[in-house]
Amino acid sequence: MNAECQMQWNRLTKEAGGDFPLEKLEGELQTYLRENPDDGERTARTTLRSIREALRCREHEDDAVRHKAGKLIKSCRHSFDGVCKNADHFRKALTEARERRADAETAPGIIPLSGEFRLEEVASIKKLITIGKTLELCVGKREDAQRYWEQAEAGEFKFLLLLKEEKPFALLKIDVNENEEVVGQFSAHNNDDPKISFELAMKILHELGVTADDVTSFTRVGAYGRFKGGRPEVEPVRVGEQEMWIWLYEDELIVAMEEHSDGKLFWSHFQLTRTGTKPWNDDSMNQLEWDDHFSNYLSMGMFFEIVRRNPHILEKLRSPIMAESPHLKIVA
């Protein structure tokens, strides 16, 4: 190896993890250099730099980059010709990802999210109708789109399109209230609930500064407004063959239950609300009750029954893990 190629090799050996196939790669590299005396050194330097970059990109936000990085690293156990080809594919994926990020960051009304997703502001009724026709939503009809757009122009709504791999994936309608903005509707093709991950759901909430506690796509994965600052760690409580995680606040109760068949979490969210017509500042004239959300896995009655049958849950709620609520007696 010449000096520049040796420098790239030394850097790679320093950055590689303990399970990286250095001996196999070194042998294949030496064979490649002997068989390609003319331009082998230049190709080898470029490939070694790509391997180092791939090691750093194993957790990259772009799915294609992560995939190509992993494939390049795995190929280091085989011939160096194959490593060179995979290095080319990795560099192409990385370049395309950087270009997409640059375009998204400079384009007006574009909000980059994680990996293959981004948000785009819907800035015209024509765009709204086009999205509606593509996703087969009611706003694909001009009459319905006109009605919504008039309210949007009055400042009551705003619309954003969620794109996946640059294709329309779902339409968000953001309701604009005096003190907050909330996701009012989130519709995929033919009004289906979009299937999104917890990480993507929380990214949307943070980027838009909204909450979506009444939207199934968000509550299904536990992406509640209460967790926007981070989901506090709490100890699980075992109920028979299941485990439960319970977050208790002064006016909110969040419950996650695990189904041991596949480890999936099922979420429930309850809020303490006032009923009656008396002034809100007079607690003695109003009643307090827990309000169920329609997308909950558990009803409040089901949760009461679980607590009744498992008194240790109440003791866990009273432990220092979470601050005890003044309304805890309601659960008891």
Side-chain angles (χ1 to χ4, degrees):
M1 277 188 270
N2 64 19
E4 291 185 28
C5 195
Q6 185 66 52
M7 180 181 66
Q8 291 297 331
W9 177 258
N10 292 340
R11 289 178 176 176
L12 175 59
T13 57
K14 183 177 180 181
E15 297 174 17
D19 59 345
F20 192 82
L22 282 171
E23 293 183 3
K24 177 67 175 177
L25 181 64
E26 185 176 24
E28 289 294 327
L29 174 60
Q30 296 290 0
T31 300
Y32 177 83
L33 291 174
R34 286 196 301 270
E35 295 176 351
N36 298 272
D38 296 329
D39 60 352
E41 295 279 355
R42 179 170 58 83
T43 302
R45 289 197 307 271
T46 302
T47 301
L48 291 174
R49 281 197 299 268
S50 297
I51 297 171
R52 290 173 51 218
E53 185 74 21
L55 289 170
R56 293 191 289 268
C57 287
R58 286 176 289 185
E59 301 297 326
H60 197 278
E61 66 176 8
D62 189 273
D63 290 341
V65 172
R66 288 199 309 272
H67 174 71
K68 296 299 183 183
K71 192 170 183 179
L72 171 56
I73 293 168
K74 288 180 181 179
S75 70
C76 292
R77 301 180 184 276
H78 307 293
S79 72
F80 199 75
D81 281 325
V83 175
C84 294
K85 291 178 181 178
N86 283 306
D88 289 340
H89 297 324
F90 166 71
R91 287 194 300 273
K92 181 180 178 181
L94 188 60
T95 298
E96 291 175 349
R98 287 170 175 167
E99 289 174 351
R100 285 195 298 271
R101 170 65 67 172
D103 290 342
E105 289 177 347
T106 56
I110 300 295
I111 302 175
L113 298 174
S114 54
E116 58 196 353
F117 290 96
R118 66 184 178 91
L119 284 168
E120 179 180 299
E121 184 180 350
V122 180
S124 69
I125 186 173
K126 181 179 179 180
K127 179 72 171 179
L128 183 62
I129 294 172
T130 299
I131 294 168
K133 289 180 178 178
T134 301
L135 297 177
E136 296 190 46
L137 305 175
C138 68
V139 290
K141 299 177 181 179
R142 175 165 291 278
E143 182 179 343
D144 290 330
Q146 184 66 47
R147 176 166 49 86
Y148 275 109
W149 195 251
E150 288 174 358
Q151 292 173 291
E153 290 184 319
E156 298 178 25
F157 304 145
K158 59 183 178 182
F159 293 95
L160 293 105
L161 174 64
L162 179 64
L163 295 115
K164 180 180 181 181
E165 296 179 340
E166 303 305 312
K167 296 180 180 179
F169 180 72
L171 181 66
L172 287 101
K173 180 173 76 72
I174 308 299
D175 297 342
V176 181
N177 302 321
E178 289 186 7
N179 299 319
E180 63 177 350
E181 296 184 358
V182 301
V183 179
Q185 294 179 12
F186 188 31
S187 304
H189 186 268
N190 200 25
N191 284 308
D192 284 344
D193 294 323
K195 304 296 190 297
I196 57 175
S197 66
F198 170 78
E199 291 74 18
L200 178 59
M202 294 306 294
K203 183 74 171 177
I204 292 172
L205 298 186
H206 278 289
E207 290 292 339
L208 299 181
V210 298
T211 58
D213 289 352
D214 293 322
V215 180
T216 301
S217 295
F218 291 83
T219 60
R220 180 192 291 118
V221 295
Y224 298 111
R226 177 63 76 168
F227 291 155
K228 285 174 69 175
R231 186 187 292 170
E233 293 290 332
V234 293
E235 293 293 328
V237 180
R238 184 169 291 276
V239 179
E241 294 299 315
Q242 293 183 319
E243 286 186 321
M244 298 176 62
W245 288 261
I246 303 172
W247 292 264
L248 179 65
Y249 302 91
E250 181 177 353
D251 58 356
E252 283 184 85
L253 175 66
I254 299 174
V255 181
M257 291 189 70
E258 181 183 60
E259 288 285 358
H260 283 271
S261 58
D262 60 6
K264 181 180 178 180
L265 290 180
F266 294 85
W267 293 87
S268 304
H269 183 214
F270 308 99
Q271 285 184 301
L272 197 65
T273 59
R274 297 175 185 269
T275 62
T277 58
K278 300 298 182 181
W280 275 66
N281 59 359
D282 185 354
D283 285 344
S284 65
M285 305 298 287
N286 287 274
Q287 293 181 342
L288 297 173
E289 63 180 29
W290 290 102
D291 182 32
D292 295 21
H293 285 259
F294 75 94
S295 58
N296 281 355
Y297 180 62
L298 297 172
S299 68
M300 198 68 226
M302 294 167 64
F303 182 68
F304 283 165
E305 183 64 17
I306 290 172
V307 172
R308 187 184 69 81
R309 292 175 179 268
N310 301 272
H312 64 286
I313 295 178
L314 189 58
E315 294 304 316
K316 180 65 71 172
L317 289 174
R318 286 172 173 155
S319 75
I321 294 175
M322 299 292 287
E324 184 175 350
S325 163
H327 307 300
L328 191 59
K329 59 186 179 181
I330 295 175
V331 177

